[in-house]
Structure formats: C-alpha cells, structure tokens
C-alpha cells in the first residue's frame, strides 16, 4: 500500500527526527525572527552533511537516487523542528526542473552543486496573488530576462532561479544565474525564509525545453507542494504533541486540564487531522510519477494546510495566556504555518486545481 513505509524509509524517518531533535535550537529560531536577511547557516550545514540535499536527485547528478517518499520523511522532521531555511524544497524544485527540462550543459553545470548543497536554488513562478500566471509579466527575449518576480522564497540567498516568463507568444521556463540580479529584501514575520523580490534587467537566462511551460511549471510546483505538505505534517504533529503534553501537566480546579472533555476531544481531533494529512502526503509522494500527480499533490496540500493551521492555532489556545508569550515559542509554529500555507501556492489555488482536475479541465 502506498501509505506504508518500508524498513529503509522508516529508518530515514527515525534518524532524521533524531538528528533534528538533537540539534533543535529554539533560541536561534527566535533570534532569526528579528534578524532580517539571515538564515540558520548551521541548520543548512547539517542538511548538507546528512546528504538531505541529494535525497531525491538522480545518482548520475550526484544524488542518492531515492524519491519523494524518502525526502518527505526528512521534511516531516524538518517541519517538526522549524526549519532554519527553505532551501531543501526550493533547491529540489530547481534541480527537478533542470533534470527534466534542462540540456546536458545546464545539468552538468548545476545539478551536482545543488545535490551537494554548495549552491542554492529558488523557484520564481508566482506574481502577485497568482501562483501560476497564464501570461507572466516577466519577459524573455534574445536570451535575456526582464521584469520583477515578487516575494520569491529563498530568493535572497539563491544562486540560481527557475523562472516562468513570457516570450511574446507563449509562456516559457528559463533558468537564470542570480549572481548579477538585484534582490530586494522583504521583511516578514518569518524572516529565515529569505524572501525577496528578484529584479531582472536584461539578465542573461537560458531556455528550458518544455512544450507546455505552464503545465511543466504546475508539475514542478506539485512536486514541491508534496514536500511542503510533509513539512506541514511535521509541524502539525509537533504542535499537537506540545498541546498534549501541556494538557497532561497543567492543572485547573484540582485536576489536569486534559481530563476535561473540551480539551481532550480537541486534541483527539488534531490527531485525526494530522493522520489524514500524513496519509494524503505519503500517498502523493508514493505516486508522484503517476498520472494523478497534480490531483494527489493538491489533496495533500489542502489536508496538510488545514492540519497545520488548526494544530498551531488550537495548541496556542489550549495553553491559555502563556501560549502567546515569546519564550514558549508556540508562535514559531503559528508563523510557519502561515508561511507554508502560501509557499508553492495558497489553499485557494490548490482547491481550484483539484476541482479542475476532478472535472477533467486543465488547471
């Protein structure tokens, strides 16, 4: 069955969680909230040391030749520990695009560096409220890119971006070396995501081969969304467990608050949401190479967004006044759930995609 892990996948899940738990640093995470333009470099070094940057990339490109199920198990652990940067997902998106649509020269130049984590990638498809515009305002002509891609996750630190642009007649996918590109930093409530506007001014770019660039972009987004869904599951589960532990410790009116139906039933509901989201994410990852990629990714995103939003919110409420204090760190999950709900397309976008896929219409 697609929602069961084999022995090797269980080992990856267990070991990833053990490493993340051992190195979790809440104080660092709190500091990063107020440090605009920075990310957790130690956290990223750990990802590189563990080989997590190479998990889902082909062996000929320097990867481990595994798949989204294995990378998803790493993402669950990363979500529980509040990732110090978004690069695992963003770099995978760029490597996935180059591997499927790049020529041999583009692959040889970038895939090995992305697999090792020596270079960081960013995916820049969205414009304004539209995660996948039908006619992007960023233009590609004569090998040069012009225009602005707003609020690109990891854009502030990335070395390469894959961009959805318009060549005058149709949408195209291009890769661009960001070394000479202007980045306008965006201060947010979750600063470690490295969000920035990318301003292209006749920036040299290379065309990727895709007959239907927008469909190719949607499929890249879907594979990224599956990873993000796993990260959301990890965050939702952690928030639920924090609430459970508090309910089994805190007393009111002479008994543990977990004994009250209003509390224990809510935590039980959170457990249900987390497990439904986990099953959807795992099913989508296990069938990522099948014909229902888009449909499965949309279902995973919707379930995971609901689970993390609800779990982060309810965990804070169950803590009462102490839940909103800086020191407890519950707001870290509250911030991250909002960030992840927007990256790779928001809830409304994936709901539309799912409806269109079920109705047999092109998204």
């Amino acid at each position: 069955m697609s929602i069961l892990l084999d022995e090797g996948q269980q080992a990856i899940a267990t070991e990833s969680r053990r490493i993340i738990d051992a190195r979790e640093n809440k104080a660092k995470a709190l500091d990063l909230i107020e440090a605009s333009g920075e990310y957790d470099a130690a956290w990223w070094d750990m990802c590189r040391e563990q080989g997590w940057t190479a998990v889902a990339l082909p062996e000929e490109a320097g990867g481990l030749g595994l798949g989204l199920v294995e990378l998803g198990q790493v993402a669950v652990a990363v979500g529980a520990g509040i990732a110090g940067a978004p690069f695992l997902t963003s770099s995978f998106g760029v490597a996935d695009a180059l591997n499927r649509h790049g020529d041999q020269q583009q692959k040889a130049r970038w895939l090995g560096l992305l697999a090792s984590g020596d270079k960081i990638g960013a995916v820049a498809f969205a414009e304004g409220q539209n995660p996948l515009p039908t006619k992007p305002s960023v233009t590609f002509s004569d090998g040069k890119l012009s225009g602005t891609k707003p609020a690109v996750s990891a854009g502030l630190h990335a070395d390469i971006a894959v961009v959805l642009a318009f060549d005058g007649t149709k949408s195209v996918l291009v890769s661009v070396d960001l070394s000479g590109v202007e980045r306008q930093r965006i201060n947010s409530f979750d600063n470690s995501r490295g969000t920035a506007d990318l301003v292209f001014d006749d920036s040299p770019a290379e065309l990727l081969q895709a007959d239907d660039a927008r469909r190719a972009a949607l499929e890249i987004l879907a594979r990224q969304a599956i990873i993000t869904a796993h990260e959301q599951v990890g965050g939702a589960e952690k928030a639920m467990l924090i609430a459970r532990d508090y309910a089994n410790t805190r007393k009111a009116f002479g008994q543990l608050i977990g004994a009250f139906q209003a509390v224990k039933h809510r935590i039980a509901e959170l457990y249900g949401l987390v497990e439904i989201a986990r099953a959807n994410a795992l099913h989508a990852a296990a069938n990522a190479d099948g014909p229902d990629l888009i449909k499965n990714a949309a279902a995973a995103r919707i379930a995971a967004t609901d689970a993390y939003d609800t779990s982060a919110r309810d965990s804070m409420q169950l803590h009462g006044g102490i839940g909103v204090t800086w020191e407890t760190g519950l707001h870290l999950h509250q911030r991250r759930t909002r960030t992840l709900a927007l990256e790779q397309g928001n809830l409304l976008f994936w709901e539309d995609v799912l409806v269109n896929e079920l109705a047999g219409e092109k998204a």
Side-chain angles (χ1 to χ4, degrees), residues 289-307:
D289 294 326
D292 292 330
L293 164 67
I294 306 299
K295 192 188 305 180
N296 292 336
R301 268 293 269 167
I302 292 168
T305 299
D306 184 32

Side-chain angles (χ1 to χ4, degrees), residues 160-174:
I160 177 178
V162 170
V163 179
L164 183 65
F166 190 70
D167 72 353
T169 58
K170 63 183 183 305
S171 295
V172 294
L173 280 177
V174 300

Side-chain angles (χ1 to χ4, degrees), residues 239-249 258 267 315 318-319:
M240 176 197 69
L241 293 176
I242 292 172
R244 181 205 61 184
D245 292 345
Y246 185 72
N248 285 329
T249 305
I267 295 173
S315 180
L318 288 170
H319 277 72

Side-chain angles (χ1 to χ4, degrees), residues 171-227:
S171 295
V172 294
L173 280 177
V174 300
S175 66
V176 54
D177 186 332
L178 295 178
S179 56
V181 173
E182 179 185 352
R183 305 129 191 269
Q184 296 177 345
R185 185 176 63 201
I186 296 177
N187 293 323
S188 74
F189 54 74
D190 198 358
N191 275 322
S192 64
R193 308 304 284 180
T195 307
D197 294 343
L198 299 182
V199 183
F200 304 106
D201 184 11
D202 285 339
S203 304
E206 298 177 348
L207 187 66
L208 301 181
Q209 299 303 315
D211 293 335
D212 184 343
R214 191 166 180 275
R215 183 67 183 183
L218 178 59
E219 291 177 355
I220 294 167
L221 207 57
R223 284 183 281 271
Q224 283 190 291
I226 292 171
I227 301 171

Side-chain angles (χ1 to χ4, degrees), residues 308-326:
Y308 199 10
D309 269 355
T310 306
S311 192
R313 180 198 64 211
D314 285 4
S315 180
M316 185 173 284
Q317 287 184 345
L318 288 170
H319 277 72
I322 196 173
V324 297
T325 60
W326 182 263

Side-chain angles (χ1 to χ4, degrees), residues 222-280:
R223 284 183 281 271
Q224 283 190 291
I226 292 171
I227 301 171
T228 300
H230 280 85
E231 188 172 346
Q232 290 172 301
V233 168
E237 183 178 34
K238 183 62 177 287
M240 176 197 69
L241 293 176
I242 292 172
R244 181 205 61 184
D245 292 345
Y246 185 72
N248 285 329
T249 305
R250 172 70 170 159
K251 289 186 176 181
F253 305 108
Q255 61 180 328
L256 295 172
I257 63 172
F260 296 113
Q261 286 190 346
V263 174
K264 63 183 177 184
H265 285 189
R266 184 177 290 192
I267 295 173
E269 289 169 359
L270 294 181
Y271 176 80
L273 287 176
V274 169
E275 294 310 313
I276 290 171
R278 190 195 310 277
N280 274 284

